[in-house]
Tab-separated table of all heavy atoms in Angstrom:
chain	number	residue	atom	x	y	z
A	118	THR	N	5.916	-5.848	-6.763
A	118	THR	CA	6.903	-5.197	-5.915
A	118	THR	C	7.970	-6.199	-5.512
A	118	THR	O	7.698	-7.385	-5.389
A	118	THR	CB	6.233	-4.596	-4.653
A	118	THR	OG1	7.261	-4.046	-3.838
A	118	THR	CG2	5.479	-5.599	-3.843
A	119	ASP	N	9.172	-5.725	-5.321
A	119	ASP	CA	10.244	-6.590	-4.848
A	119	ASP	C	10.097	-6.860	-3.361
A	119	ASP	O	10.818	-7.660	-2.798
A	119	ASP	CB	11.607	-5.933	-5.099
A	119	ASP	CG	11.941	-5.869	-6.576
A	119	ASP	OD1	11.418	-6.689	-7.344
A	119	ASP	OD2	12.742	-5.003	-6.948
A	120	SER	N	9.173	-6.187	-2.734
A	120	SER	CA	8.957	-6.324	-1.306
A	120	SER	C	8.613	-7.755	-0.937
A	120	SER	O	7.875	-8.434	-1.629
A	120	SER	CB	7.806	-5.407	-0.877
A	120	SER	OG	7.384	-5.732	0.412
A	121	LYS	N	9.158	-8.201	0.166
A	121	LYS	CA	8.816	-9.532	0.677
A	121	LYS	C	7.382	-9.538	1.209
A	121	LYS	O	6.827	-10.575	1.477
A	121	LYS	CB	9.784	-9.922	1.794
A	121	LYS	CG	11.201	-10.109	1.302
A	121	LYS	CD	12.129	-10.403	2.451
A	121	LYS	CE	13.559	-10.413	1.945
A	121	LYS	NZ	14.519	-10.248	2.991
A	122	LEU	N	6.807	-8.342	1.359
A	122	LEU	CA	5.460	-8.234	1.900
A	122	LEU	C	4.404	-8.632	0.876
A	122	LEU	O	3.338	-9.093	1.242
A	122	LEU	CB	5.184	-6.800	2.363
A	122	LEU	CG	6.105	-6.272	3.451
A	122	LEU	CD1	5.815	-4.818	3.724
A	122	LEU	CD2	5.974	-7.095	4.701
A	123	GLY	N	4.690	-8.428	-0.388
A	123	GLY	CA	3.701	-8.753	-1.418
A	123	GLY	C	2.476	-7.872	-1.294
A	123	GLY	O	2.494	-6.822	-0.676
A	124	HIS	N	1.400	-8.317	-1.901
A	124	HIS	CA	0.147	-7.571	-1.903
A	124	HIS	C	-0.855	-8.339	-1.050
A	124	HIS	O	-1.077	-9.514	-1.272
A	124	HIS	CB	-0.405	-7.445	-3.324
A	124	HIS	CG	0.535	-6.736	-4.245
A	124	HIS	ND1	0.298	-5.470	-4.687
A	124	HIS	CD2	1.713	-7.096	-4.787
A	124	HIS	CE1	1.288	-5.091	-5.476
A	124	HIS	NE2	2.160	-6.060	-5.550
A	125	ALA	N	-1.441	-7.665	-0.096
A	125	ALA	CA	-2.444	-8.303	0.756
A	125	ALA	C	-3.795	-8.251	0.058
A	125	ALA	O	-4.134	-7.259	-0.577
A	125	ALA	CB	-2.528	-7.598	2.100
A	151	ARG	N	5.749	-0.829	8.259
A	151	ARG	CA	5.709	-1.489	6.948
A	151	ARG	C	5.296	-2.959	7.052
A	151	ARG	O	4.515	-3.449	6.256
A	151	ARG	CB	7.069	-1.354	6.265
A	151	ARG	CG	6.995	-1.615	4.781
A	151	ARG	CD	8.142	-0.967	4.033
A	151	ARG	NE	7.827	-0.962	2.618
A	151	ARG	CZ	8.163	-1.933	1.795
A	151	ARG	NH1	8.834	-2.971	2.233
A	151	ARG	NH2	7.806	-1.869	0.528
A	152	GLU	N	5.841	-3.669	8.019
A	152	GLU	CA	5.515	-5.098	8.165
A	152	GLU	C	4.024	-5.309	8.439
A	152	GLU	O	3.448	-6.300	8.015
A	152	GLU	CB	6.340	-5.737	9.285
A	152	GLU	CG	7.818	-5.848	8.975
A	152	GLU	CD	8.122	-6.793	7.814
A	152	GLU	OE1	7.501	-7.862	7.734
A	152	GLU	OE2	8.987	-6.446	6.985
A	154	ARG	N	1.761	-3.158	7.434
A	154	ARG	CA	1.071	-2.422	6.362
A	154	ARG	C	0.205	-1.283	6.911
A	154	ARG	O	-0.925	-1.076	6.492
A	154	ARG	CB	0.197	-3.362	5.527
A	154	ARG	CG	0.940	-4.356	4.717
A	154	ARG	CD	-0.053	-5.205	3.924
A	154	ARG	NE	0.603	-6.041	2.964
A	154	ARG	CZ	1.069	-7.265	3.217
A	154	ARG	NH1	0.934	-7.791	4.405
A	154	ARG	NH2	1.666	-7.954	2.272
A	178	VAL	N	3.172	-1.732	-0.971
A	178	VAL	CA	3.245	-1.153	0.366
A	178	VAL	C	4.163	0.065	0.331
A	178	VAL	O	5.243	0.023	-0.282
A	178	VAL	CB	3.763	-2.196	1.384
A	178	VAL	CG1	3.894	-1.598	2.770
A	178	VAL	CG2	2.830	-3.397	1.416
Side-chain angles (χ1 to χ4, degrees):
T118 177
D119 291 335
S120 167
K121 294 176 187 161
L122 300 175
H124 300 252
R151 198 157 195 269
E152 291 295 319
R154 293 181 171 88
V178 178

